[in-house]
Structures are given as structure tokens and as C-alpha cells.
């Protein structure tokens, strides 16, 4: 059976709970589910049921297409003025001898490392330190664009921008407009964690508030930038906190339409102040992806970071609403591995990403940051006799 037939079969099941049947019917009819429906899905939705609904939505939107991009990360520092309880990556200012703080020249050295590679995006995020201020990032963005104009700069989260703009005495709009003129193209979705104040205060009480996070994204959207959004799940939050988080994002998306992708991030419990909290199961990971796909009806894409949840779970997620598994990375991020992710050296060649997608019957599409198709890998044949580089030079599909 195809996805539509499976959903129809589910709806016809006389033994299906009446409330779950009602939600399934709403999904089939393309109608929005409510906050209460979202909580109900978390409380009573079994994995198989949620997978049928989420996969139906995924295939209605994207068919078998599964997206990835060829990117690399720059993490300018892991020293940070903030003390997020779940973070294994950062080192406080008093521990800065255990961390790193890059200068603009060092960041440009990383960019130049990829001069002969057809990467399309540099993803920049890290800790927050006073010397990496507005002028610091303005200089880097300008130099990066001058060196490689075609490279899309996806840079910094509201946590970083809030601190930078406050020190510079600029509004969120003024600061983003200035950096956009310097070369900033879009924003990643980090720093959202859980929006509700009761949870946020306990896990990340000294960073920007939910309202400030949302406003910075709203101002970016008003400038024509596209952005992503995340949610850190599986720690001290309750199910309704997750729905509250998604509801706030859904409301802003109704207003601006500027979000591209929603990315649930799994809480990993190694190397930080919340290590006593057990991690949720893979089943809960898949349930969460599925509910996100069902609830976030105005977001085009749901992404699973393979480097955070493992390659196997990323493959499974493609049947539970996920249509994007992020990029090749080339072992340029330490944020996930330092918190205990399965991928301690997160890098995959293009061929490995393509085969990971193909092995679960999906159609690999290399995209750029804005989801323009770069290369369709449906019938592409890799030369298995050659040494495999991390990136393959291929013609760009217009």
C-alpha cells in the first residue's frame, strides 16, 4: 500500500480510538490540528499510528525526495559567558584555558581549506565571548564573501545575536540589517531549547528569552532572510511543553512565512550538569519526529541531524515525517560529539550520504541552503574504483 492507502486503511479501522481517528481524518483532509490534539498525540499516539500520519504528510509534500547539502561548520569558540546546564560543548570564561577562541584569520583558513570543493554552505555557530563582537563577525562575513561569493553564510543563533547587538547598542533589526549587508545570508535554528519559562529558566536561565529568540527570527524574516528552528527534547520538559514550543513557532510562521525547516534536537546526557537525566529511547525520537511533522503544518521541512542521532536512526526517521538529514559535515562540528552522540567523528562522503538514503528506498537530492536542487542522485553511479573524496564535483542543476 502507498501512504494514502495506509492512512485510509487506518481511518477505517473500527478499533481505532475515536480521538485518534478524528485527528487522522483531519490529517487526511489537510486540516490543522489543535494544541490539545498535539498533546493527545504525545500521550496516546503509538509509533505505528504516528508513522502512518507523518509519512502521509511527508509524501504529500515531498514524495520520496530526501534532502542533504554539502556543507562545513566553523565553530569560532567553545568559550561562553552563558551557563546552559545541558551543554557539554562550552567552557565558561573562567575555564577558557580548556577551550578555543579563533580569530578571523583562523576562520578564513577553514574557508580556504574548501576552495577546491563544491560545498555550498558554511554553518557558523558556537559560544559567546565579548571579543567576538559585531565588528568581529562583520569582518569575517565581508572577507568570506570577498573570497568566495557563491558560499552561502548561515551564521549564528539568536543567543549570539542578542548578546552582540546588546553590546553594540543596536536593535535586533538594525544589527541584522548591518550584518546582512556584510554578507550574512541566513540563520540556523539553534538556541531555542524549550521556550516555556518554567523549563527554560532551569536549563538555560541566563541566555535570551523565548520572546527575544522569536523576535530576532521575526526581524530576520522581515529582511528577507530564511531561517530554521529547533527544539531540544527529552530532558525535564513535559509533553505539553513541546507542543507549546511548536505552537509559538507555528504562530510566527503564520505571520512571516520565513522559516524553512524544523529540527528536533535530542538531549544527550554526557559531559554536563544534567548527566543524571536518562536519554529517551529511539522509539520516542521517532514519535517526536512524527508529531512534529503532523503539528508543524506550515513548515516545509522536518530535519534529523544524522550526526546527533546516528545514521541508523536517521534512516528510520525518513519513514516518520523527516525529509532532510543535513549535510556531509566533513568532521567540522564538535557540538554533538562532546555531548555523547554516537557519531564521535561526524563526517560522511557524498556517496555515503546518498547510499544511506537509497538503502531505505528514498530519493537523494543534494540541495543548497534554500532548497534549490543542486544534484539529483536518483540514477547517479559512483566510480567505486577511485579513492572517494568527501565531496564530488558535479554539474549544478538550474
Amino acid at each position: 500500500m502507498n501512504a494514502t492507502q495506509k492512512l485510509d486503511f487506518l481511518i477505517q479501522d473500527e478499533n481505532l480510538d475515536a480521538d485518534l481517528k478524528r485527528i487522522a481524518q483531519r490529517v487526511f483532509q489537510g486540516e490543522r490540528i489543535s494544541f490539545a490534539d498535539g498533546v493527545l498525540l504525545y500521550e496516546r499516539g503509538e509509533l505505528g499510528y504516528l508513522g502512518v500520519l507523518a509519512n502521509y504528510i511527508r509524501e504529500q509534500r515531498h514524495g520520496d525526495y530526501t534532502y542533504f547539502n554539502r556543507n562545513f561548520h566553523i565553530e569560532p569558540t567553545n568559550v561562553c559567558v552563558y551557563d546552559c546546564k545541558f551543554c557539554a560543548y562550552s567552557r565558561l570564561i573562567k575555564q577558557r584555558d580548556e577551550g578555543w577562541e579563533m580569530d578571523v584569520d583562523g576562520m578564513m583558513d577553514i574557508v580556504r581549506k574548501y576552495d577546491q570543493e563544491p560545498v555550498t554552505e558554511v554553518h557558523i555557530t558556537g559560544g559567546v565571548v565579548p571579543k567576538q563582537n559585531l565588528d568581529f563577525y562583520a569582518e569575517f562575513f565581508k572577507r568570506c564573501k570577498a573570497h568566495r561569493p557563491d558560499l552561502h553564510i548561515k551564521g549564528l543563533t539568536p543567543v549570539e545575536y542578542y548578546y552582540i547587538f546588546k553590546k553594540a547598542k543596536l536593535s535586533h533589526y538594525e544589527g541584522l540589517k548591518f550584518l546582512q549587508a556584510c554578507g550574512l545570508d541566513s540563520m540556523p535554528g539553534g538556541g531555542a531549547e524549550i521556550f516555556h519559562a518554567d523549563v527554560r529558566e532551569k536549563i538555560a536561565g541566563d541566555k535570551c528569552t523565548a520572546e527575544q529568540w522569536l523576535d530576532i527570527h521575526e526581524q530576520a524574516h522581515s529582511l528577507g532572510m530564511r531561517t530554521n528552528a529547533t527544539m531540544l527534547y527529552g530532558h525535564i520538559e513535559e509533553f505539553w511543553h513541546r507542543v507549546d514550543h511548536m505552537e509559538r513557532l507555528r504562530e510566527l510562521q503564520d505571520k512571516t512565512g520565513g522559516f524553512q525547516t524544523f529540527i528536533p534536537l535530542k538531549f544527550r546526557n554526557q559531559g554536563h550538569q544534567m548527566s543524571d537525566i536518562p536519554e529517551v529511547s529511539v522509539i520516542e525520537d521517532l514519535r517526536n519526529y512524527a508529531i512534529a511533522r503532523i503539528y508543524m503544518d506550515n513548515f516545509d521541512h522536518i530535519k534529523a541531524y544524522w550526526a546527533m542521532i546516528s545514521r541508523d536512526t536517521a534512516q528510520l526517521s525518513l519513514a516518520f515525517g523527516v525529509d532532510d538529514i543535513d549535510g556531509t559535515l566533513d568532521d567540522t562540528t564538535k557540538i554533538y560529539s562532546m555531548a555523547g552522540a554516537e557519531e564521535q567523528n561526524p563526517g560522511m562522503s557524498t556517496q555515503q550520504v546518498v547510499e544511506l538514503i537509497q538503502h531505505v528506498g528514498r530519493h537523494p537530492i543534494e540541495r543548497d541552503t534554500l532548497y534549490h536542487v543542486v544534484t539529483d542522485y536518483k540514477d547517479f553511479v559512483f566510480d567505486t574504483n577511485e579513492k572517494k573524496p568527501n565531496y564530488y564535483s558535479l554539474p549544478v542543476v538550474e
Side-chain angles (χ1 to χ4, degrees), residues 20-36:
L20 294 176
K21 180 174 289 191
R22 174 182 52 79
I23 294 173
Q25 289 170 330
R26 293 185 71 84
V27 168
F28 190 68
Q29 293 161 4
E31 298 174 356
R32 173 168 286 185
I33 69 168
S34 69
F35 188 101

PDB file of all heavy atoms in Angstrom, residues 20-36:
ATOM      1  N   LEU A  20      -8.171   9.575  18.206  1.00  0.00           N
ATOM      2  CA  LEU A  20      -7.092   9.366  17.248  1.00  0.00           C
ATOM      3  C   LEU A  20      -7.630   9.274  15.828  1.00  0.00           C
ATOM      4  O   LEU A  20      -6.990   9.759  14.881  1.00  0.00           O
ATOM      5  CB  LEU A  20      -6.304   8.107  17.612  1.00  0.00           C
ATOM      6  CG  LEU A  20      -5.531   8.165  18.938  1.00  0.00           C
ATOM      7  CD1 LEU A  20      -4.868   6.822  19.221  1.00  0.00           C
ATOM      8  CD2 LEU A  20      -4.492   9.291  18.935  1.00  0.00           C
ATOM      9  N   LYS A  21      -8.804   8.689  15.665  1.00  0.00           N
ATOM     10  CA  LYS A  21      -9.424   8.633  14.335  1.00  0.00           C
ATOM     11  C   LYS A  21      -9.767  10.044  13.848  1.00  0.00           C
ATOM     12  O   LYS A  21      -9.565  10.377  12.665  1.00  0.00           O
ATOM     13  CB  LYS A  21     -10.677   7.770  14.363  1.00  0.00           C
ATOM     14  CG  LYS A  21     -11.387   7.675  13.005  1.00  0.00           C
ATOM     15  CD  LYS A  21     -12.542   6.693  13.030  1.00  0.00           C
ATOM     16  CE  LYS A  21     -12.060   5.264  13.115  1.00  0.00           C
ATOM     17  NZ  LYS A  21     -13.138   4.276  12.884  1.00  0.00           N
ATOM     18  N   ARG A  22     -10.288  10.876  14.745  1.00  0.00           N
ATOM     19  CA  ARG A  22     -10.628  12.246  14.373  1.00  0.00           C
ATOM     20  C   ARG A  22      -9.393  13.004  13.894  1.00  0.00           C
ATOM     21  O   ARG A  22      -9.431  13.718  12.894  1.00  0.00           O
ATOM     22  CB  ARG A  22     -11.260  12.960  15.574  1.00  0.00           C
ATOM     23  CG  ARG A  22     -11.534  14.441  15.355  1.00  0.00           C
ATOM     24  CD  ARG A  22     -12.109  15.088  16.596  1.00  0.00           C
ATOM     25  NE  ARG A  22     -11.320  14.839  17.783  1.00  0.00           N
ATOM     26  CZ  ARG A  22     -10.190  15.485  18.086  1.00  0.00           C
ATOM     27  NH1 ARG A  22      -9.720  16.413  17.251  1.00  0.00           N
ATOM     28  NH2 ARG A  22      -9.546  15.214  19.199  1.00  0.00           N
ATOM     29  N   ILE A  23      -8.269  12.839  14.603  1.00  0.00           N
ATOM     30  CA  ILE A  23      -7.035  13.504  14.192  1.00  0.00           C
ATOM     31  C   ILE A  23      -6.571  12.972  12.837  1.00  0.00           C
ATOM     32  O   ILE A  23      -6.149  13.734  11.954  1.00  0.00           O
ATOM     33  CB  ILE A  23      -5.943  13.327  15.255  1.00  0.00           C
ATOM     34  CG1 ILE A  23      -6.344  14.073  16.540  1.00  0.00           C
ATOM     35  CG2 ILE A  23      -4.600  13.847  14.751  1.00  0.00           C
ATOM     36  CD1 ILE A  23      -5.413  13.826  17.715  1.00  0.00           C
ATOM     37  N   ALA A  24      -6.647  11.665  12.648  1.00  0.00           N
ATOM     38  CA  ALA A  24      -6.255  11.073  11.369  1.00  0.00           C
ATOM     39  C   ALA A  24      -7.104  11.630  10.230  1.00  0.00           C
ATOM     40  O   ALA A  24      -6.597  11.900   9.129  1.00  0.00           O
ATOM     41  CB  ALA A  24      -6.364   9.555  11.428  1.00  0.00           C
ATOM     42  N   GLN A  25      -8.381  11.806  10.462  1.00  0.00           N
ATOM     43  CA  GLN A  25      -9.262  12.373   9.444  1.00  0.00           C
ATOM     44  C   GLN A  25      -8.886  13.813   9.125  1.00  0.00           C
ATOM     45  O   GLN A  25      -8.927  14.234   7.964  1.00  0.00           O
ATOM     46  CB  GLN A  25     -10.715  12.286   9.910  1.00  0.00           C
ATOM     47  CG  GLN A  25     -11.270  10.867   9.923  1.00  0.00           C
ATOM     48  CD  GLN A  25     -12.622  10.756  10.612  1.00  0.00           C
ATOM     49  OE1 GLN A  25     -12.932  11.529  11.532  1.00  0.00           O
ATOM     50  NE2 GLN A  25     -13.422   9.795  10.186  1.00  0.00           N
ATOM     51  N   ARG A  26      -8.503  14.565  10.147  1.00  0.00           N
ATOM     52  CA  ARG A  26      -8.079  15.944   9.910  1.00  0.00           C
ATOM     53  C   ARG A  26      -6.814  15.979   9.057  1.00  0.00           C
ATOM     54  O   ARG A  26      -6.675  16.811   8.157  1.00  0.00           O
ATOM     55  CB  ARG A  26      -7.847  16.670  11.240  1.00  0.00           C
ATOM     56  CG  ARG A  26      -9.111  16.896  12.058  1.00  0.00           C
ATOM     57  CD  ARG A  26      -8.831  17.719  13.307  1.00  0.00           C
ATOM     58  NE  ARG A  26      -8.540  19.106  12.973  1.00  0.00           N
ATOM     59  CZ  ARG A  26      -9.465  20.035  12.770  1.00  0.00           C
ATOM     60  NH1 ARG A  26     -10.745  19.721  12.838  1.00  0.00           N
ATOM     61  NH2 ARG A  26      -9.111  21.274  12.482  1.00  0.00           N
ATOM     62  N   VAL A  27      -5.888  15.076   9.352  1.00  0.00           N
ATOM     63  CA  VAL A  27      -4.666  14.996   8.552  1.00  0.00           C
ATOM     64  C   VAL A  27      -5.005  14.644   7.107  1.00  0.00           C
ATOM     65  O   VAL A  27      -4.490  15.251   6.158  1.00  0.00           O
ATOM     66  CB  VAL A  27      -3.690  13.964   9.164  1.00  0.00           C
ATOM     67  CG1 VAL A  27      -2.551  13.650   8.194  1.00  0.00           C
ATOM     68  CG2 VAL A  27      -3.138  14.482  10.492  1.00  0.00           C
ATOM     69  N   PHE A  28      -5.880  13.670   6.923  1.00  0.00           N
ATOM     70  CA  PHE A  28      -6.266  13.251   5.574  1.00  0.00           C
ATOM     71  C   PHE A  28      -6.905  14.398   4.793  1.00  0.00           C
ATOM     72  O   PHE A  28      -6.721  14.525   3.584  1.00  0.00           O
ATOM     73  CB  PHE A  28      -7.227  12.069   5.665  1.00  0.00           C
ATOM     74  CG  PHE A  28      -7.514  11.409   4.354  1.00  0.00           C
ATOM     75  CD1 PHE A  28      -6.534  10.696   3.682  1.00  0.00           C
ATOM     76  CD2 PHE A  28      -8.772  11.503   3.763  1.00  0.00           C
ATOM     77  CE1 PHE A  28      -6.789  10.086   2.464  1.00  0.00           C
ATOM     78  CE2 PHE A  28      -9.039  10.907   2.547  1.00  0.00           C
ATOM     79  CZ  PHE A  28      -8.039  10.186   1.892  1.00  0.00           C
ATOM     80  N   GLN A  29      -7.645  15.248   5.507  1.00  0.00           N
ATOM     81  CA  GLN A  29      -8.321  16.372   4.866  1.00  0.00           C
ATOM     82  C   GLN A  29      -7.457  17.625   4.782  1.00  0.00           C
ATOM     83  O   GLN A  29      -7.905  18.667   4.281  1.00  0.00           O
ATOM     84  CB  GLN A  29      -9.605  16.692   5.647  1.00  0.00           C
ATOM     85  CG  GLN A  29     -10.647  15.582   5.558  1.00  0.00           C
ATOM     86  CD  GLN A  29     -11.699  15.662   6.648  1.00  0.00           C
ATOM     87  OE1 GLN A  29     -11.713  16.598   7.461  1.00  0.00           O
ATOM     88  NE2 GLN A  29     -12.578  14.676   6.695  1.00  0.00           N
ATOM     89  N   GLY A  30      -6.208  17.531   5.264  1.00  0.00           N
ATOM     90  CA  GLY A  30      -5.301  18.664   5.190  1.00  0.00           C
ATOM     91  C   GLY A  30      -5.629  19.782   6.157  1.00  0.00           C
ATOM     92  O   GLY A  30      -5.290  20.946   5.915  1.00  0.00           O
ATOM     93  N   GLU A  31      -6.264  19.450   7.285  1.00  0.00           N
ATOM     94  CA  GLU A  31      -6.669  20.454   8.264  1.00  0.00           C
ATOM     95  C   GLU A  31      -5.675  20.509   9.424  1.00  0.00           C
ATOM     96  O   GLU A  31      -5.046  19.509   9.773  1.00  0.00           O
ATOM     97  CB  GLU A  31      -8.060  20.128   8.806  1.00  0.00           C
ATOM     98  CG  GLU A  31      -9.150  20.142   7.729  1.00  0.00           C
ATOM     99  CD  GLU A  31     -10.495  19.683   8.258  1.00  0.00           C
ATOM    100  OE1 GLU A  31     -10.566  19.274   9.436  1.00  0.00           O
ATOM    101  OE2 GLU A  31     -11.474  19.726   7.480  1.00  0.00           O
ATOM    102  N   ARG A  32      -5.560  21.671  10.026  1.00  0.00           N
ATOM    103  CA  ARG A  32      -4.654  21.878  11.150  1.00  0.00           C
ATOM    104  C   ARG A  32      -5.181  21.198  12.404  1.00  0.00           C
ATOM    105  O   ARG A  32      -6.370  21.260  12.701  1.00  0.00           O
ATOM    106  CB  ARG A  32      -4.481  23.375  11.404  1.00  0.00           C
ATOM    107  CG  ARG A  32      -3.703  23.731  12.652  1.00  0.00           C
ATOM    108  CD  ARG A  32      -3.323  25.203  12.687  1.00  0.00           C
ATOM    109  NE  ARG A  32      -2.235  25.476  11.742  1.00  0.00           N
ATOM    110  CZ  ARG A  32      -1.626  26.658  11.633  1.00  0.00           C
ATOM    111  NH1 ARG A  32      -2.012  27.678  12.381  1.00  0.00           N
ATOM    112  NH2 ARG A  32      -0.644  26.822  10.753  1.00  0.00           N
ATOM    113  N   ILE A  33      -4.270  20.570  13.163  1.00  0.00           N
ATOM    114  CA  ILE A  33      -4.670  20.004  14.450  1.00  0.00           C
ATOM    115  C   ILE A  33      -4.437  21.044  15.540  1.00  0.00           C
ATOM    116  O   ILE A  33      -3.634  21.964  15.388  1.00  0.00           O
ATOM    117  CB  ILE A  33      -3.939  18.687  14.762  1.00  0.00           C
ATOM    118  CG1 ILE A  33      -2.445  18.923  15.036  1.00  0.00           C
ATOM    119  CG2 ILE A  33      -4.135  17.682  13.633  1.00  0.00           C
ATOM    120  CD1 ILE A  33      -1.734  17.717  15.617  1.00  0.00           C
ATOM    121  N   SER A  34      -5.130  20.900  16.662  1.00  0.00           N
ATOM    122  CA  SER A  34      -5.092  21.869  17.740  1.00  0.00           C
ATOM    123  C   SER A  34      -3.994  21.551  18.745  1.00  0.00           C
ATOM    124  O   SER A  34      -3.369  20.481  18.711  1.00  0.00           O
ATOM    125  CB  SER A  34      -6.437  21.877  18.463  1.00  0.00           C
ATOM    126  OG  SER A  34      -6.612  20.654  19.177  1.00  0.00           O
ATOM    127  N   PHE A  35      -3.794  22.491  19.674  1.00  0.00           N
ATOM    128  CA  PHE A  35      -2.854  22.281  20.772  1.00  0.00           C
ATOM    129  C   PHE A  35      -3.219  21.021  21.554  1.00  0.00           C
ATOM    130  O   PHE A  35      -2.364  20.174  21.833  1.00  0.00           O
ATOM    131  CB  PHE A  35      -2.886  23.507  21.699  1.00  0.00           C
ATOM    132  CG  PHE A  35      -1.830  23.504  22.762  1.00  0.00           C
ATOM    133  CD1 PHE A  35      -0.686  24.264  22.623  1.00  0.00           C
ATOM    134  CD2 PHE A  35      -1.977  22.745  23.925  1.00  0.00           C
ATOM    135  CE1 PHE A  35       0.295  24.279  23.620  1.00  0.00           C
ATOM    136  CE2 PHE A  35      -1.011  22.745  24.924  1.00  0.00           C
ATOM    137  CZ  PHE A  35       0.129  23.509  24.761  1.00  0.00           C
ATOM    138  N   ALA A  36      -4.505  20.896  21.886  1.00  0.00           N
ATOM    139  CA  ALA A  36      -4.950  19.712  22.634  1.00  0.00           C
ATOM    140  C   ALA A  36      -4.708  18.435  21.839  1.00  0.00           C
ATOM    141  O   ALA A  36      -4.343  17.393  22.411  1.00  0.00           O
ATOM    142  CB  ALA A  36      -6.432  19.846  22.984  1.00  0.00           C
TER     143      ALA A  36
END
